[in-house]
Amino acid sequence: MQTILTLDNLSKNFGPIQAVKNLSFTIEKGNVYGILGPNGSGKSTTLGIVLNVVNKTSGSYHWFDGSEGTHQALKKVGAIIERPNFYPYMNAVQNLELVCKIKEVSTSKIDEKLELVGLLERKLSKFKTYSLGMKQRLAIASALLNDPEILILDEPTNGLDPQGIHQIREIIKKIAASGTTILLASHLLDEVEKVCTHVVILRKGESLYTGSVEGMNASHGFFVLQSRNTARLKEELERNAAIGSIKEDGDLITAYLNEPMDASTFNEEMHSKGIVLSHLVKRKESLEELFLEITKNLS
Ligand code: ADP
Ligand code: MG
């Protein structure tokens, strides 16, 4: 596994505000990473630091194996962290030719990248005639002109209509499928769920979860229960090794599973202990519920 980016205890303060707190994670080649968190959780600041446009306060990061300086390494990184801005009276090709000149890369890939983002047919239209989604797609094409090792996107679908959002997500998946590593920041759980393989969840600059998107949803689920004899039910639940924690809400009891168990097995077990359940439903948290649970204000 080739490492693209390593963060080690990275922190950033803006005066009294700690925007990023002891953040550590690594990005491996070929995966799609999401930095997920509500507004103000430190996503853009984190991207700004590793792209060398925001100074870190403490900690460290390095690109690739750390053998080259950040400036040199960033030549292999494609990033869009601001609203795309191109010359309004120039067409897509002219704008991208200019980008190639500035970045000192060949213009040979312009058509290929415009095709990838679905703008080949509109390549001779002036930038000012583009929709917001087309502008964003042109920015993606622009960031890919030098075939970067990694593409970095900050809130890539913000402000777009549903069709525009869908197009951008499909393009991101296509780029990932071709082997380019991707790191995107988003406050949208469903975006990360749909597009990413790995996720770093941030709340107030702190990582609450780092790992696979699948792993985020690895819980075994829970039973929602009711019985005329709540006290006896609770007693049995506490004794049951398969049950982790219990929550009470009126006469409804939620029992979280430590290990896999289906509802009928559980029902039989309770029945054999003389407990009659008047309500038994097995459920699993949706990713959304988990996300809200993880990011809810604990203070
Ligand atoms: P996100 O991208 O997750 O919405 P940001 O990284 O933009 O979050 O911001 C994280 C925190 O840092 C916020 O509290 C924000 O107000 C603060 N912040 C960001 N940039 C600056 C800045 N240049 N000066 C002062 N505070 C900032
Ligand atoms: Mg941001």
Side-chain angles (χ1 to χ4, degrees):
M1 198 54 99
Q2 195 186 323
T3 301
I4 303 281
L5 174 65
T6 309
L7 273 69
D8 188 13
N9 267 302
L10 206 59
S11 294
K12 172 68 185 179
N13 300 342
F14 290 108
I17 298 167
Q18 212 176 352
V20 178
K21 285 183 205 169
N22 298 321
L23 192 58
S24 301
F25 62 85
T26 56
I27 287 185
E28 308 285 357
K29 189 180 170 72
N31 294 331
V32 181
Y33 292 83
I35 302 182
L36 175 65
N39 290 330
S41 56
K43 305 181 296 293
S44 297
T45 303
T46 303
L47 296 184
I49 293 170
V50 299
L51 292 170
N52 211 15
V53 295
V54 173
N55 291 321
K56 64 186 167 72
T57 301
S58 62
S60 66
Y61 68 91
H62 64 260
W63 285 100
F64 308 106
D65 61 4
S67 63
E68 47 194 4
T70 299
H71 183 72
Q72 195 60 26
L74 286 177
K75 290 183 176 166
K76 292 186 277 180
V77 176
I80 309 165
I81 52 169
E82 279 164 3
R83 270 277 128 113
N85 222 343
F86 294 94
Y87 285 94
Y89 289 98
M90 282 171 29
N91 66 39
V93 175
Q94 292 166 326
N95 268 298
L96 293 189
E97 280 170 353
L98 195 61
V99 172
C100 287
K101 208 167 170 185
I102 293 164
K103 286 193 185 169
E104 296 177 327
V105 299
S106 141
T107 55
S108 63
K109 299 223 159 127
I110 289 180
D111 274 7
E112 175 195 322
K113 302 308 176 190
L114 285 173
E115 159 99 78
L116 175 66
V117 301
L119 285 177
L120 201 53
E121 274 87 72
R122 293 292 305 271
K123 72 175 187 174
L124 299 178
S125 304
K126 290 190 171 97
F127 179 71
K128 68 174 183 130
T129 68
Y130 278 16
S131 69
L132 193 59
M134 291 166 77
K135 289 176 178 174
Q136 182 68 340
R137 286 187 276 141
L138 183 62
I140 293 176
S142 164
L144 293 173
L145 285 168
N146 59 338
D147 285 325
E149 287 277 347
I150 178 171
L151 177 65
I152 297 182
L153 305 158
D154 194 358
E155 307 273 8
T157 61
N158 256 15
L160 304 186
D161 60 18
Q163 194 199 0
I165 291 174
H166 182 71
Q167 284 170 335
I168 294 285
R169 289 179 183 168
E170 290 305 308
I171 289 165
I172 293 172
K173 285 192 224 168
K174 214 156 51 163
I175 295 166
S178 74
T180 305
T181 309
I182 293 175
L183 171 60
L184 65 86
S186 177
H187 68 283
L188 301 170
L189 173 72
D190 80 310
E191 181 150 293
V192 170
E193 206 182 343
K194 284 185 179 130
V195 173
C196 301
T197 57
H198 293 72
V199 62
V200 177
I201 300 180
L202 288 188
R203 184 175 59 95
K204 295 182 180 173
E206 266 181 297
S207 163
L208 301 174
Y209 174 85
T210 306
S212 69
V213 169
E214 263 168 28
M216 194 179 151
N217 197 13
S219 105
H220 298 296
F222 55 89
F223 294 124
V224 182
L225 308 166
Q226 200 174 26
S227 168
R228 214 172 291 160
N229 196 340
T230 307
R232 273 281 293 129
L233 174 60
K234 272 171 62 185
E235 209 178 279
E236 282 307 327
L237 289 172
E238 271 153 25
R239 218 174 277 166
N240 198 312
I243 305 295
S245 61
I246 302 168
K247 253 196 328 218
E248 250 183 294
D249 182 13
D251 54 359
L252 277 186
I253 293 185
T254 305
Y256 293 88
L257 281 161
N258 278 333
E259 51 189 72
M261 185 188 273
D262 61 35
S264 50
T265 310
F266 178 76
N267 200 4
E268 271 166 21
E269 245 175 67
M270 289 299 112
H271 192 252
S272 73
K273 304 261 160 50
I275 295 167
V276 177
L277 296 168
S278 51
H279 183 85
L280 165 59
V281 179
K282 184 173 177 190
R283 284 190 55 203
K284 205 169 160 163
E285 296 95 333
S286 69
L287 221 44
E288 185 170 22
E289 286 171 305
L290 276 179
F291 177 56
L292 290 174
E293 183 69 22
I294 290 172
T295 56
K296 82 175 170 204
N297 206 331
L298 303 167
S299 58

